[in-house]
């Protein structure tokens, strides 16, 4: 027997069901479910679905249909006719149908639908009789059919590409507009029978004139024309483009649904509408929707008239004066209300529904899982768990990390954003929105923000010296740079709004002015608003909204995630403030505390000066003196953060960057330094020159400093252990993890461990303590270290993968210089993703897996984590989970996202395993 191509639904039965989306498309599967599932059996106009496989066949066989399709369609149509007691093409009592597209995944507005198919000169009188003599309705339906059919079937499906504004639909609309004008009416509904008859006649003429063909007056020709056009619309330009963006495979194909027409345009007791079982904008558990009296489905979406709210809850500024469906048709509303409740119970998710009311009778035309924004997704998932509608794993699977991200930042009030046109567009580098006054230098940003002003730092590009200004600003906007530029990295780390690479900007620093292509010049102090999630720049001060106002819900949701995840989530934090913030977000430790932080930014003058003395020392004696002076600063800095973490693990990394980074460049600073060291300027010059390196990233840094200057490591070990000891003595809890960076061989580590052991004994002795709980471990950020991880793990108690450097060294890409070629690599598909944003699982990932496996071979208890940028990237977190890490560490702002991503990683892995078993 040949394959079944046509699936019937109606009269309380259906051949298909909801699980058959691949074959019947989403629309067809859900129509079948609503019509035929024993616990639903909703009033769905009967019809049938031609499968997606027919579409595939059609394209593989030079647009021919499989054998037997015509017969199957005829048979299904007979069944529909039997239920309806009407026949397709019957002049005295005609059945009309819609021909609707419907792919596996919804592609809103991308494909075509034709309504009122089967209406011809011959069947018009029959329909008039059916409608109780409503000629207006019939001619309205006829002109709609002509508009849709000529556009979809005769023009688009025929491959005709008219010039702008010359499409047949536009041409017919112009005839209609002219008639309305002539008659002095505004709305379509105000046209009378005569007008509509006139339009039908004019439309026919126009169609003949423009397309050189008669509008088909045969019902069967219309039906098959419609079916073919829906299949063609699968490969329409818009649809193809949409699939490319959404990564929907082109070979899926669309189904075609042929369904009995019901009419929302039969008069004032008829209507059509769309609704959601919960508010998709904020997740409120309230029925929410709009409807139009005396209209056909397309009108609601087309925005021809302002739709009315279905109930009080759905009222807004725009529609508050219009009568609700609940008041206008209380009985129908009640029925609809009950149905939507049942639908939600049945599907266990928020539904988006289409309905039509024909002369007071309700029909369901579509249902599908409703799209929602971030705040709504979180609220709905959390509420549904409480309502016992879904379990916790389902809740977690329903919220994407991107959606959660929406909750963590202020956004522009959506209505305001809609009403304003952006003046420029750049790359969305830091999420959320911000508004502030333009400043052009970091110093101005700091100065004005101290005065309590909100500022946005506008720069050509930022560099590390802008850090304080960037901190002080509400947001950052740059004219150059990409998604991994300095500004982008820093802003993302802080969760700060940022737009980069906005090439429409022309900055004139001398005039403190920015010229924006197409929008004119703006000066310091003028307001702008940024949408960092989309990369948009607006003029003026747009209203903001705090999307995290439902924090209660957010926390509840994250607790659900915590119950599922197994990975621990830590944070990268260098200050007690960051540490506390991260703990509020749920961080369970610090995965990276960088000692060098104390030498940058606010309050850094003194320690920096002492560090510089240390760097510029040329003898052991000199250096020991400088190191001694530095000790107190390092200790108190570490102590404050250890204290803030109250016994949670804190991974403290020893001094990492190349020393010459700290060499002063300003004349005055150099003179003071020379004075303090008691050396001449020439001598200072000589010493600082000797520190210069041709490739500092691979130079004298990290553990190499500790090997060459053991006294520097010794001071740091002592600072860490004494800070811990003092806190222990004060009755506090602490757990420092000492981390050695840039290690490539085990011997570097033993070398350092020997120093650490000596210091540990001394500190115990000094404080009269028996022990200080702590760990000694290393970063794995050089490929060699990953390869010899078995040896390293004999000395290290933990590994922390520094994936930024590991990526740099594995690829041989300098992160700061990839701007020149990475965009091209991505465009050409040479790389699928920026490896600095999401872990390259194939290469870098292999090194990580090797490192973990080899490490655990010699040290079963080896603790493993990640502290690179990737620790906050959901896809990378999934990888870390599968690789068997114990924790990921990310910036404080990313902690909630990491909690969700870690829970989703558990679910994804389960599904993947199940899939394999099958
Ligand atoms: P889309 O997928 O673009 O929403 P649809 O196939 O759902 O396209 O149809 C477009 C509009 O026509 C919708 O408002 C729908 O409710 C309406 N419609 C489709 N089929 C019928 C029908 N048989 N009777 C009444 N209205 C219909
Ligand atoms: Mg629809
Ligand atoms: Mg590093």
């Amino acid at each position: 027997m040949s394959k079944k191509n046509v699936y019937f639904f109606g009269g309380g039965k259906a051949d298909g069901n909801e699980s058959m989306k691949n074959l019947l498309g989403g629309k067809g599967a859900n129509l079948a479910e609503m019509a035929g599932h024993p616990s639903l059996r909703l009033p769905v106009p009967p019809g049938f679905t031609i499968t997606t496989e027919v579409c595939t066949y059609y394209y593989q066989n030079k647009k021919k249909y499989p054998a037997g399709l015509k017969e199957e369609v005829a048979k299904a149509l007979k069944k529909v006719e039997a239920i309806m007691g009407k026949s397709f093409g019957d002049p005295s009592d005609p059945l009309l149908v819609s021909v609707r597209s419907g792919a596996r995944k919804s592609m809103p507005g991308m494909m075509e639908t034709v309504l009122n198919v089967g209406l011809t000169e011959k069947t018009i009188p029959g329909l008039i009789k059916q409608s109780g003599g409503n000629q207006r309705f019939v001619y309205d339906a006829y002109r709609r059919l002509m508009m849709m059919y000529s556009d979809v079937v005769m023009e688009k499906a025929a491959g005709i590409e008219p010039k702008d504004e010359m499409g047949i639909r536009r041409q017919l609309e112009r005839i209609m507009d002219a008639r309305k004008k002539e008659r002095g009416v505004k709305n379509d509904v105000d046209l009378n029978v005569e007008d509509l008859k006139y339009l039908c006649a004019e439309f026919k003429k126009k169609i003949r004139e423009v397309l050189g063909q008669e509008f088909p007056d045969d019902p069967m020709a219309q039906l098959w024309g419609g079916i073919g056009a829906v299949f063609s619309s699968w490969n329409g330009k818009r649809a193809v483009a949409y699939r490319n963006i959404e990564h929907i495979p082109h070979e899926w194909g669309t189904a075609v649904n042929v369904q009995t027409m019901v009419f929302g345009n039969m008069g004032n007791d008829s209507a059509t509408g769309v609704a959601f079982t919960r508010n998709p904008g904020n997740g409120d558990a309230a029925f929410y929707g709009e409807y139009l009296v005396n209209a056909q489905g397309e009108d609601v979406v087309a925005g021809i008239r302002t739709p009315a709210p279905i109930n009080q809850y759905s009222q807004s500024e725009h529609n508050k004066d219009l009568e609700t469906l609940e008041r206008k048709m209380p009985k129908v509303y009640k029925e609809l209300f009950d149905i939507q409740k049942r639908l939600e119970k049945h599907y266990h998710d928020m539904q988006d529904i289409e309905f039509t009311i024909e002369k007071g009778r309700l029909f369901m035309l579509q249902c599908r899982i409703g799209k929602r924004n971030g705040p709504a997704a979180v609220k709905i998932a959390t509420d549904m768990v409480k309502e016992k509608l879904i379990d916790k794993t389902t809740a977690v699977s329903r919220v994407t990390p991107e959606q959660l991200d929406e909750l963590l930042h202020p956004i522009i009030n959506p209505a305001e954003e809609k009403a304003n046109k952006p003046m420029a567009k750049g790359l969305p580098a830091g999420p959320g929105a911000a508004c502030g006054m333009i400043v052009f230098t970091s110093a101005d940003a700091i100065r004005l923000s101290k005065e309590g002003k909100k500022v946005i730092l506008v720069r050509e590009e930022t560099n590390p010296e802008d850090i304080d200004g960037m901190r002080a600003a509400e947001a950052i906007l740059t004219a150059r740079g990409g998604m991994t530029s300095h500004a982008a990295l820093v802003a993302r780390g802080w969760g700060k709004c940022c737009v980069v690479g906005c090439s429409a900007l022309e900055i004139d620093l001398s005039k403190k002015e920015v010229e924006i292509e197409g929008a004119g010049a703006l000066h310091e102090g003028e307001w702008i608003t940024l949408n960092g999630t989309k990369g948009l720049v607006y003029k003026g001060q747009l209203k903001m909204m705090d999307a995290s106002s439902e924090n209660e819900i957010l926390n509840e949701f994250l607790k659900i995630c915590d119950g599922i995840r197994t990975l621990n989530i830590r944070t990268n934090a260098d200050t007690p403030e960051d540490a506390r913030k991260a703990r509020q977000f749920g961080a369970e430790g610090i995965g990276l505390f960088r000692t060098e932080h104390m030498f940058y930014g606010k309050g850094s003058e003194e320690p920096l000066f002492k560090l510089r003395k240390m760097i510029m020392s040329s003898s052991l004696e000199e250096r020991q003196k400088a190191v001694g002076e530095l000790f107190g600063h390092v200790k108190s800095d570490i102590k404050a953060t250890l204290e803030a973490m109250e016994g949670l693990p804190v991974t403290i990394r020893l001094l990492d960057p190349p020393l010459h980074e700290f060499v002063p460049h300003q004349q005055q600073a150099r003179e003071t330094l020379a004075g303090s060291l008691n050396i001449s300027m020439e001598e200072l010059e000589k010493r600082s020159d000797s520190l210069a390196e041709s490739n500092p990233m691979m130079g004298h840094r990290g553990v190499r400093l500790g090997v060459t200057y053991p006294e520097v490591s010794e001071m740091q070990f002592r600072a860490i252990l004494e800070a811990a000891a003092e806190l222990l003595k004060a009755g506090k809890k602490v757990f420092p993890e000492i981390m050695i960076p840039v290690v490539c061989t085990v011997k570097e580590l033993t070398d350092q461990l020997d120093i650490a052991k000596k210091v540990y004994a001394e500190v115990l002795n000094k404080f009269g303590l028996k022990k200080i709980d702590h760990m000694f471990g290393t970063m794995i950020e050089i490929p060699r270290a990953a390869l010899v991880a078995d040896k390293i793990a004999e000395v290290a108690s933990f590994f922390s993968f520094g994936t930024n450097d590991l990526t740099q060294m594995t690829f041989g890409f300098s992160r700061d210089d990839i701007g020149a070629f990475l965009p091209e690599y991505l465009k050409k598909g040479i790389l699928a993703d920026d490896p600095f944003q999401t872990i390259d699982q194939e290469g870098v990932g292999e090194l990580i897996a090797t490192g973990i496996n080899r490490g655990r071979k010699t040290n079963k208890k080896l603790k493993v984590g990640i502290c690179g940028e990737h620790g906050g990237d959901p896809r990378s977190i999934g990888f870390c989970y599968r690789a068997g890490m114990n924790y990921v560490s990310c910036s404080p702002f990313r902690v909630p996202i990491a909690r969700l991503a870690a829970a989703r990683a558990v679910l994804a892995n389960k599904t993947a395993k199940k899939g394999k078993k099958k």
Side-chain angles (χ1 to χ4, degrees):
M1 217 192 89
S2 65
K3 203 158 34 175
K4 185 171 166 68
N5 292 309
V6 176
Y7 286 70
F8 175 81
F9 58 85
K13 287 203 202 89
D15 296 343
N17 62 55
E18 188 258 335
S19 72
M20 296 163 76
K21 289 204 177 82
N22 292 357
L23 188 63
L24 304 180
K27 201 179 286 168
N30 284 325
L31 282 170
E33 184 84 2
M34 284 199 290
H37 193 282
S39 70
L40 289 171
R41 294 206 168 118
L42 302 182
V44 174
F48 53 88
T49 305
I50 305 174
T51 67
T52 55
E53 283 173 359
V54 174
C55 183
T56 324
Y57 181 99
Y58 180 77
Y59 279 110
Q60 281 167 357
N61 292 277
K62 301 194 180 117
K63 304 207 171 185
K64 274 214 213 58
Y65 296 119
L69 182 69
K70 298 251 154 163
E71 291 72 21
E72 275 187 78
V73 166
K75 227 170 100 189
L77 192 58
K78 276 258 143 25
K79 262 179 144 170
V80 176
E81 288 173 337
I83 291 179
M84 295 305 295
K86 296 177 196 165
S87 305
F88 192 64
D90 178 355
S92 60
D93 192 12
L95 173 78
L96 301 195
V97 297
S98 64
V99 181
R100 318 171 66 183
S101 54
R104 283 192 208 181
K105 258 194 173 168
S106 137
M107 297 170 49
M110 293 301 136
M111 285 186 301
E112 308 295 349
T113 285
V114 188
L115 304 182
N116 307 334
V117 168
L119 196 51
T120 63
E121 293 293 346
K122 281 203 205 77
T123 55
I124 282 176
L127 190 64
I128 295 174
K129 205 172 78 197
Q130 254 179 45
S131 67
N134 189 344
Q135 289 205 42
R136 193 202 167 277
F137 151 70
V138 175
Y139 284 98
D140 185 49
Y142 197 39
R143 67 96 191 157
R144 285 172 190 268
L145 169 65
M146 278 193 267
M147 281 177 126
M148 279 187 254
Y149 195 94
S150 61
D151 172 39
V152 172
V153 185
M154 301 174 75
E155 189 172 85
K156 286 206 184 91
I160 299 170
E161 290 187 20
K163 289 208 192 78
D164 267 1
E165 291 298 297
M166 292 309 282
I168 185 69
R169 188 164 190 134
R170 277 301 295 143
Q171 301 211 38
L172 300 185
E173 275 166 4
R174 278 200 288 271
I175 298 178
M176 188 154 140
D177 287 343
R179 182 67 177 192
K180 281 199 261 182
K181 214 165 178 191
E182 222 172 280
R183 292 262 292 98
V185 300
K186 240 182 80 193
N187 288 323
D188 297 2
V189 277
D190 299 325
L191 293 171
N192 62 25
V193 186
E194 292 315 313
D195 297 324
L196 290 164
K197 278 188 176 163
Y198 162 85
L199 287 179
C200 289
E202 289 299 308
F203 281 10
K204 271 199 179 153
K205 270 194 253 164
K206 196 68 177 183
I207 290 170
R208 190 185 314 127
E209 176 196 318
V210 174
L211 299 169
Q213 266 184 49
E214 286 297 331
F215 175 73
D217 203 38
D218 171 61
M220 274 301 168
Q222 286 180 2
L223 178 61
W224 283 100
I227 292 171
V230 169
F231 283 143
S232 301
S233 72
W234 175 254
N235 273 342
K237 263 194 202 155
R238 272 182 304 157
V240 172
Y242 182 85
R243 288 200 295 275
N244 285 337
I245 293 168
E246 296 287 316
H247 303 292
I248 297 176
H250 297 295
E251 27 337 309
W252 277 4
T254 180
V256 176
N257 302 288
V258 176
Q259 186 176 25
T260 302
M261 278 303 302
V262 288
F263 301 102
N265 54 338
M266 266 206 186
N268 286 334
D269 53 357
S270 302
T272 183
V274 294
F276 295 87
T277 58
R278 300 187 188 216
N279 187 334
N282 62 19
D284 277 357
F287 189 34
Y288 178 86
E290 299 180 320
Y291 79 110
L292 270 177
V293 171
N294 198 9
Q296 251 183 356
E298 30 156 14
D299 299 349
V300 181
V301 198
I304 295 172
R305 281 183 275 153
T306 307
I310 53 167
N311 53 19
Q312 231 179 357
Y313 177 82
S314 311
Q315 280 176 345
S316 73
E317 269 314 298
H318 306 288
N319 64 20
K320 63 178 191 298
D321 300 325
L322 302 170
E323 192 177 17
T324 65
L325 182 69
E326 187 171 15
R327 287 199 51 180
K328 191 170 174 71
M329 306 182 190
K331 264 176 73 185
V332 181
Y333 176 79
K334 167 116 204 338
E335 192 188 348
L336 180 65
F337 187 86
D338 292 342
I339 285 178
Q340 61 92 19
K341 270 258 166 291
R342 283 169 64 197
L343 277 174
E344 197 173 80
K345 262 223 171 96
H346 185 78
Y347 282 99
H348 304 278
D349 202 353
M350 189 259 273
Q351 295 294 305
D352 167 350
I353 59 184
E354 286 176 10
F355 63 92
T356 282
I357 300 159
E358 178 182 311
K359 290 186 165 298
R361 242 181 102 187
L362 176 68
F363 294 94
M364 301 305 295
L365 288 173
Q366 193 172 332
C367 78
R368 64 177 163 215
I369 289 166
K371 292 222 160 75
R372 63 208 76 180
N373 66 12
V378 171
K379 176 147 170 52
I380 291 172
T382 312
D383 282 351
M384 285 188 170
V385 170
K386 280 193 255 179
E387 294 164 26
K388 302 212 161 57
L389 211 51
I390 57 175
D391 60 16
K392 291 180 175 176
T393 46
T394 309
V396 168
S397 73
R398 293 247 179 104
V399 181
T400 65
E402 294 75 28
Q403 284 175 320
L404 188 66
D405 199 29
E406 284 177 43
L407 264 82
L408 303 174
H409 312 274
I411 55 170
I412 302 177
N413 179 306
E416 280 257 310
E417 183 152 26
K418 224 174 169 183
N420 282 274
K421 221 181 124 235
M423 54 178 176
K425 193 169 187 316
L427 299 171
C435 60
M437 296 186 276
I438 299 179
V439 291
F440 295 97
T441 69
S442 271
D444 289 334
I446 297 164
R447 182 174 53 80
L448 287 169
S449 79
K450 272 195 188 133
E451 292 171 19
K453 303 220 166 88
K454 287 182 161 189
V455 297
I456 291 182
L457 181 61
V458 181
R459 311 265 306 149
E460 196 70 37
E461 245 181 327
T462 63
N463 60 51
E465 277 164 25
D466 291 323
I467 287 283
D468 284 333
M470 294 166 78
R471 250 289 193 220
E474 301 295 311
I476 300 137
L477 170 64
T478 71
R480 284 194 283 141
M483 291 295 281
T484 48
S485 64
H486 177 261
L489 283 177
V490 171
R492 257 201 308 282
W494 292 341
K496 188 167 278 211
C497 171
C498 176
V499 176
V500 298
C502 188
S503 51
L505 308 186
E506 188 90 47
I507 297 168
D508 187 339
L509 253 183
S510 63
K511 287 197 212 148
K512 294 209 171 168
E513 175 187 287
V514 55
E515 175 86 30
I516 300 180
E517 214 179 289
L522 292 174
H523 299 89
E524 187 180 87
E526 290 194 66
W527 284 85
I528 55 171
T529 302
L530 303 187
N531 177 339
T533 311
K534 293 203 179 123
L536 304 174
V537 185
Y538 295 91
K539 193 170 180 152
Q541 190 178 6
L542 268 54
K543 264 204 217 102
M544 293 288 163
M545 211 176 92
D546 189 6
S548 66
S549 57
E550 281 136 334
N551 247 321
E552 275 298 292
I553 298 278
L554 176 63
N555 288 333
E556 263 178 67
F557 176 73
L558 289 172
K559 287 233 174 68
I560 295 178
C561 298
D562 294 344
I564 292 170
R565 73 182 159 88
T566 54
L567 267 178
N568 280 319
I569 311 296
R570 296 198 193 179
T571 191
N572 298 349
D574 303 324
T575 65
E577 300 85 73
D578 277 357
R580 275 189 282 272
K581 196 187 317 147
R583 284 192 64 191
Q584 276 166 15
F585 282 129
E588 298 157 317
I590 291 181
L592 180 63
F593 172 93
R594 293 167 296 189
T595 30
E596 60 268 19
H597 164 81
M598 57 187 292
F599 306 118
Y600 296 105
K602 212 169 66 192
S604 67
E605 289 92 34
E606 220 189 310
L608 180 59
F609 182 73
K610 289 174 179 162
L611 178 75
R612 284 170 168 170
K613 266 174 87 172
M614 181 189 96
I615 291 169
M616 290 299 186
S617 303
S618 62
S619 69
L620 178 63
E621 219 176 15
E622 253 178 20
R623 192 171 313 107
Q624 259 166 349
K625 192 160 159 264
V627 163
E629 287 177 32
L630 202 50
F631 173 73
H633 293 283
V634 177
K635 183 168 86 178
S636 66
D637 197 59
I638 290 171
K639 192 174 165 184
T641 295
L642 275 178
E643 186 173 10
M645 292 308 282
E646 299 178 298
L648 294 174
V650 178
T651 309
I652 302 157
R653 181 176 72 182
L654 298 201
L655 203 58
D656 179 47
L659 291 184
H660 88 109
E661 254 188 37
F662 297 103
V663 171
H665 299 292
Q666 282 167 328
Q667 186 59 20
Q668 183 166 2
R670 294 172 76 98
E671 276 167 20
T672 329
L673 190 60
S676 163
L677 279 167
N678 223 345
I679 57 172
S680 67
M681 281 304 280
E682 290 78 54
E683 176 63 18
L684 187 91
E685 214 71 29
K686 217 174 79 196
R687 291 187 189 180
S688 76
D689 283 352
S690 77
L691 284 172
E693 294 176 308
S694 58
N695 197 347
M697 288 313 289
M698 298 172 115
H700 192 179
R701 56 175 293 212
V703 70
R704 298 158 205 169
L705 293 172
V707 169
T708 46
Y709 307 133
E711 58 280 9
V712 176
S713 292
E714 183 177 330
M715 177 274 285
Q716 297 181 81
F717 291 141
R718 198 178 306 280
I720 295 168
L721 292 167
E722 283 200 11
E726 286 173 13
L727 288 166
L728 283 176
K729 280 276 184 192
K732 308 253 160 87
K733 281 195 199 144
V734 286
F735 193 73
E737 297 175 338
I738 302 171
M739 179 159 79
I740 313 293
V742 203
V743 163
C744 62
T745 153
V746 67
K747 288 203 175 140
E748 290 168 318
L749 213 53
T750 2
D751 179 87
Q752 297 293 295
L753 183 57
D754 287 344
I755 305 172
K757 276 185 181 156
K758 186 190 84 155
V759 175
Y760 180 58
E762 287 166 10
V763 174
L764 288 186
N765 200 12
K766 175 171 172 189
F767 286 83
L769 287 166
K770 283 222 175 59
K771 62 167 187 163
I772 301 169
D773 281 331
H774 74 283
M775 272 185 165
F776 182 84
T778 182
M779 255 174 121
I780 303 286
E781 52 187 333
I782 294 180
R784 188 181 196 282
L787 297 173
V788 299
D790 44 349
K791 299 209 179 76
I792 293 179
E794 285 173 357
V795 178
S797 311
F798 67 87
F799 284 177
S800 175
F801 283 89
T803 47
N804 297 344
D805 275 337
L806 190 60
T807 301
Q808 290 207 102
M809 296 200 232
T810 304
F811 276 87
F813 291 171
S814 156
R815 182 169 65 171
D816 299 318
D817 302 320
I818 50 170
F821 57 90
L822 189 71
E824 206 59 26
Y825 270 54
L826 296 176
K827 210 168 81 195
K828 291 197 168 146
I830 292 173
L831 287 176
D833 298 287
D834 177 345
F836 292 100
Q837 278 186 14
T838 193
I839 285 183
D840 154 52
Q841 298 187 15
E842 200 183 1
V844 177
E846 192 60 25
L847 274 173
I848 294 173
T850 304
I852 296 177
N853 292 338
R854 293 191 182 167
R856 290 222 171 111
K857 228 179 248 159
T858 55
N859 181 353
K860 296 233 152 36
K861 286 196 288 195
L862 186 74
K863 188 147 115 182
V864 182
I866 179 177
C867 62
E869 274 275 305
H870 302 99
D873 168 62
R875 272 191 290 167
S876 306
I877 292 171
F879 167 79
C880 293
Y881 168 75
R882 291 192 300 279
M885 288 195 191
N886 301 92
Y887 70 86
V888 297
S889 188
C890 57
S891 62
F893 254 98
R894 301 292 295 176
V895 168
I897 298 202
R899 286 162 77 186
L900 169 62
R904 286 171 66 95
V906 175
L907 305 186
N909 223 36
K910 272 192 195 141
T911 339
K913 279 204 185 121
K914 246 194 228 153
K916 258 187 215 147
K917 265 192 215 145
K918 266 186 195 163

